[in-house]
Amino acid sequence: MSQTPETTAPQGADAGADVQAELKRLRASIDNIDAALVHLLAERFKCTKAVGTYKATHGLPPADPARERQQIARLRDLAIEADLDPDFAETFLNFVVKEVIRHHEAIRDGRH
Amino acid sequence: MSQTPETTAPQGADAGADVQAELKRLRASIDNIDAALVHLLAERFKCTKAVGTYKATHGLPPADPARERQQIARLRDLAIEADLDPDFAETFLNFVVKEVIRHHEAIRDGRH
């Protein structure tokens, strides 16, 4: 008597259930990480808004290319260490800094 | 005898030094937050690469619009709670998901 049909079907079903369970597990981790990212970004903008207020009060320009170059170099190094594509880390920082400059300009123009 | 000239000058200098010290303090916090963000993003891509491998193995498409809609709605709610612009949170997620899909396509095409 062959067990193949009986064992293959449940194995296939189990494999499907395992895949779904594993996807669910990974997505739960992604959701946790995203919540952490959102809260860290909120905290980061609190800091950069304070920087923006200082800059506006003291007539400093919203953008600071020298500081940004330092930040990019540092983040690229950290990314390599963390096994993250350094180009992505740089694009990410540029993406965030663009939003920060928008906030700083709003502060300077009295829109915040 | 007026103390004004003597007291005004140091006060001005102190204010300048205070501003520099405060900027330095805020920037140190921004740098700490950025290091945390880079490490969280690295961890997030580990999860999404695992998801990509599962999807490729099981012939699922790299993008999943229903899941993405859920993620966007959830992140917008979390952003509001954290006092972060929900539009920025959504743009941020789209930015990250774009990179994830690029990874998934690379996995599917055997480039990872």
Side-chain angles (χ1 to χ4, degrees):
Chain A
M1 185 175 92
S2 168
Q3 289 292 314
T4 310
E6 288 81 359
T7 52
T8 304
Q11 272 175 359
D14 284 353
D18 284 354
V19 167
Q20 285 307 315
E22 181 64 3
L23 275 179
K24 204 176 161 186
R25 192 189 66 77
L26 288 165
R27 285 177 164 178
S29 290
I30 291 166
D31 287 346
N32 282 343
I33 292 170
D34 281 347
L37 286 169
V38 160
H39 285 86
L40 276 175
L41 284 167
E43 197 58 29
R44 192 188 196 281
F45 285 121
K46 272 200 216 168
C47 294
T48 52
K49 278 179 184 167
V51 169
T53 303
Y54 268 88
K55 284 181 172 179
T57 308
H58 298 274
L60 298 165
D64 187 338
R67 157 82 175 152
E68 283 160 34
R69 276 195 297 276
Q70 282 172 355
Q71 284 175 289
I72 286 169
R74 178 174 173 270
L75 275 207
R76 289 187 70 95
D77 287 348
L78 282 172
I80 292 165
E81 216 176 273
D83 200 21
L84 180 72
D85 178 357
D87 290 339
F88 176 80
E90 180 168 347
T91 313
F92 167 73
L93 186 68
N94 287 332
F95 172 81
V96 174
V97 166
K98 211 170 136 187
E99 180 74 4
V100 168
I101 292 172
R102 206 175 64 78
H103 291 175
H104 286 189
E105 286 169 348
I107 292 167
R108 188 194 56 193
D109 302 343
R111 287 181 281 119
H112 267 252
Chain B
M1 183 177 89
S2 167
Q3 288 292 313
T4 311
E6 287 82 359
T7 52
T8 305
Q11 271 174 2
D14 284 354
D18 282 355
V19 167
Q20 285 307 315
E22 181 64 3
L23 275 178
K24 203 176 162 185
R25 192 188 67 76
L26 288 164
R27 285 178 162 176
S29 290
I30 291 166
D31 287 345
N32 282 343
I33 292 169
D34 281 348
L37 286 169
V38 160
H39 285 87
L40 276 174
L41 284 167
E43 197 58 29
R44 193 188 196 281
F45 285 122
K46 271 199 218 170
C47 294
T48 53
K49 278 181 184 167
V51 169
T53 303
Y54 268 88
K55 284 182 170 177
T57 309
H58 297 274
L60 298 166
D64 186 339
R67 157 82 175 152
E68 283 160 35
R69 276 194 298 275
Q70 282 172 355
Q71 286 175 288
I72 286 169
R74 178 175 173 269
L75 275 207
R76 290 187 69 95
D77 287 348
L78 282 172
I80 291 165
E81 215 177 275
D83 199 21
L84 180 72
D85 177 359
D87 290 339
F88 176 80
E90 180 168 346
T91 313
F92 167 73
L93 186 68
N94 287 333
F95 171 81
V96 174
V97 166
K98 211 170 137 187
E99 179 74 5
V100 169
I101 292 172
R102 204 176 65 78
H103 291 175
H104 286 189
E105 286 169 348
I107 292 167
R108 187 194 58 193
D109 301 344
R111 287 181 280 119
H112 267 255

